[in-house]
Amino acid sequence: MAAPLLISFLLLYFTAAGESIGVNYGTLANNLPSPAQVANFLKTQTVIDRVKIFDVNPDILRAFAGSGIAVTVTVGNGEIVGLKDPRVARRWVSANIKPFHPATKINYIAVGNEVLHWGDKFQVSGLVPAMKSLHHALIQEGIKDIKVTSPHSLGILSVSEPPSSARFRRGYDRAVFVPMLKFLQETNSPLMVNPYPYFGYNPKMPNYSLFKPNRGIRDPKTGITYTNMFDAQMDAVHTAAKAIGFGNVELVIGETGWSSACEWEVCSIEHARDYNANLIKHINSGKGTPLMPNRKFETYLFALFNENLKPGPLGERNWGLFQPDFTPVYDVGILRNGQRPGGSGGGGGSGSGAVGKKWCVPKLEASGQALQANIDYVCSSGVDCKPIQPGGSCFQPNDVRSHASFVMNSFYQTNGRHDYNCDFAKTGLITSSNPSRGSCVYV
């Protein structure tokens, strides 16, 4: 009997270990596989058992039917005000949830995305009423196994360090978070938060952000020494909730991750791999945090794919665990049959790198005026600038930083790859992370 019992225990343990890790499935790209291919890949090739999407895309919802993979759907910020009306909420549930559930295992409706950060005053004031209307609409439709929540950045805190001093922003604490947390408590639903040690990265203490050995930071009030920023951020949210009487509301990590390529030293394949791999180990250990011990937080990594049409700096297009062809960008241990050594393997996609290879990209602080001057200089020096012209492979995204990044690297590569070839009046930066994206390949 001992052997069967041991096997049963191990199966139970490893099943539970995989149950807390999900992934954000974004679609801002023109080279992604079909939703059906994505669902099949996640089900058959990875240990991921839940995804979060940023809309209610019917093709995605149909693709995940019968997969057993839980899906969190998102209400757009622009829909919040209208959903205060119970009749609108009922129609929304009838159109976007009922046709797919329960064949598709929808587990959460995320109302808005970081509304207090991105939303206007009407969306902020309408957030909790919309959450309540959607909850009642679900009940009216006979759906009792989908919870309503709302994801928030850590910008909801006025103070976050030390964790024991954390509080919600004044004005939002009583007007938004008291009624929201009361609703979540009454419906046994979690608060969804998006902790990103990436954005708090300090080059003087890199290991603190990456779950690697370090001296830690002591909270003078509690005497707790935090050895990773993630725990400190989570305990800060918990402390803020407890301060207004809702310390028992569960927390779910709606987003967290690390960009593998950008114009700043925070981004690298190594940092992204270390953060995500160590985060997964930390979550699955069940250790919890100093103020929330012995728990396993449901966590959604950001993100599934590198998305080549995301606007903004290079780093925005390099959050993915996988390239669009399902090639791993780096190994975090979520493939069922293990990873190929060496990271991303064949493909020169965004974030992949060759040994000893270097590229030239703009510094994060470089101004648009300076980058335009770099474009003008490079394109008048004989370097081929056709790829950044309309119809060229690197024309999209059509912004000065992306165009400057490509031509600055072309100049650097064609002029001997010396450090001074990437100076550009102190606006250039040499990186070992391949900035290529989609069809835009950096030599």
Side-chain angles (χ1 to χ4, degrees):
M1 289 293 291
L5 284 173
L6 177 61
I7 292 171
S8 297
F9 172 78
L10 289 173
L11 285 172
L12 179 63
Y13 173 82
F14 285 113
T15 299
E19 284 181 350
S20 293
I21 302 300
V23 68
N24 284 271
Y25 173 15
T27 56
L28 289 177
N30 61 7
N31 57 355
L32 297 182
S34 70
Q37 290 174 302
V38 173
N40 181 66
F41 170 74
L42 291 177
K43 180 179 180 180
T44 63
Q45 302 297 318
T46 80
V47 298
I48 296 294
D49 67 351
R50 60 198 64 211
V51 298
K52 177 168 161 278
I53 63 176
F54 294 92
D55 50 26
V56 283
N57 185 317
D59 293 331
I60 293 178
L61 293 177
R62 276 190 289 268
F64 279 87
S67 67
I69 296 172
V71 180
T72 296
V73 299
T74 300
V75 172
N77 289 359
E79 298 178 89
I80 289 172
V81 174
L83 287 169
K84 292 191 302 180
D85 184 335
R87 294 168 299 178
V88 175
R90 185 83 180 264
R91 289 196 297 268
W92 191 93
V93 169
S94 295
N96 297 298
I97 303 297
K98 280 202 78 175
F100 309 103
H101 182 77
T104 299
K105 187 181 175 183
I106 300 172
N107 59 340
Y108 297 118
I109 297 175
V111 183
N113 187 38
E114 300 185 342
V115 177
L116 301 189
H117 182 83
W118 301 109
D120 59 33
K121 62 181 181 180
F122 302 106
Q123 293 166 359
V124 171
S125 64
L127 178 58
V128 177
M131 293 171 69
K132 291 179 177 179
S133 289
L134 284 167
H135 172 72
H136 291 311
L138 289 169
I139 299 301
Q140 288 175 320
E141 294 291 346
I143 300 172
K144 299 181 180 180
D145 57 347
I146 297 178
K147 298 182 184 297
V148 177
T149 183
S150 181
H152 297 279
S153 74
L154 265 62
I156 58 178
L157 302 176
S158 59
V159 177
S160 61
E161 294 179 346
S164 61
S165 298
R167 297 293 184 271
F168 291 122
R169 288 166 57 186
R170 185 170 298 177
Y172 289 154
D173 51 357
R174 298 295 168 182
V176 177
F177 282 103
V178 166
M180 181 190 296
L181 293 173
K182 185 173 186 292
F183 164 76
L184 295 175
Q185 185 182 68
E186 290 172 347
T187 59
N188 194 30
S189 301
L191 175 65
M192 197 171 275
V193 294
N194 301 340
Y196 275 99
Y198 170 88
F199 291 113
Y201 176 84
N202 182 345
K204 294 181 180 179
M205 287 190 67
N207 287 358
Y208 183 63
S209 297
L210 299 169
F211 297 94
K212 297 171 77 172
N214 66 95
R215 67 178 183 273
I217 296 178
R218 186 175 182 271
D219 185 323
K221 184 175 180 180
T222 62
I224 295 169
T225 297
Y226 285 89
T227 57
N228 69 80
M229 191 182 297
F230 175 85
D231 280 357
Q233 291 181 339
M234 292 298 292
D235 277 356
V237 176
H238 170 72
T239 298
K242 187 176 181 180
I244 58 173
F246 296 96
N248 60 340
V249 172
E250 290 293 324
L251 301 180
V252 165
I253 292 90
E255 292 180 24
T256 190
W258 203 282
S259 180
S260 63
C262 70
E263 300 88 345
W264 188 38
E265 65 180 284
V266 65
C267 301
S268 69
I269 294 287
E270 292 76 16
H271 282 175
R273 180 192 63 219
D274 288 346
Y275 176 76
N276 283 311
N278 290 334
L279 171 74
I280 291 171
K281 291 176 186 175
H282 184 62
I283 294 296
N284 282 339
S285 73
K287 182 180 179 181
T289 71
L291 297 184
M292 295 178 286
N294 305 316
R295 68 180 71 188
K296 191 181 293 184
F297 297 102
E298 184 176 350
T299 301
Y300 293 82
L301 301 176
F302 190 88
L304 180 56
F305 294 115
N306 282 339
E307 298 170 64
N308 67 345
L309 296 183
K310 290 188 73 174
L314 175 65
E316 288 300 306
R317 295 179 287 281
N318 287 282
W319 289 91
L321 300 172
F322 296 94
Q323 304 291 359
D325 64 356
F326 298 118
T327 302
V329 177
Y330 46 83
D331 178 0
V332 293
I334 60 172
L335 286 180
R336 291 186 183 276
N337 298 318
Q339 301 270 15
R340 287 173 293 172
S344 63
S350 175
S352 62
V355 176
K357 180 72 173 177
K358 294 181 179 180
W359 294 266
C360 176
V361 296
K363 288 183 177 177
L364 189 63
E365 65 270 20
S367 69
Q369 183 179 5
L371 296 181
Q372 184 60 56
N374 293 348
I375 294 172
D376 295 340
Y377 171 75
V378 171
C379 293
S380 65
S381 71
V383 170
D384 181 13
C385 288
K386 290 179 183 177
I388 66 168
Q389 295 172 1
S393 59
C394 298
F395 178 67
Q396 295 292 349
N398 182 19
D399 62 72
V400 68
R401 180 169 291 274
S402 297
H403 290 180
S405 179
F406 179 81
V407 300
M408 288 166 65
N409 179 69
S410 296
F411 182 89
Y412 170 72
Q413 302 294 343
T414 57
N415 284 276
R417 296 188 294 276
H418 305 292
D419 287 358
Y420 58 79
N421 295 131
C422 187
D423 184 78
F424 291 101
K426 309 302 181 185
T427 63
L429 173 72
I430 294 174
T431 178
S432 60
S433 295
N434 188 348
S436 299
R437 56 185 188 277
S439 62
C440 180
V441 178
Y442 284 53
V443 295

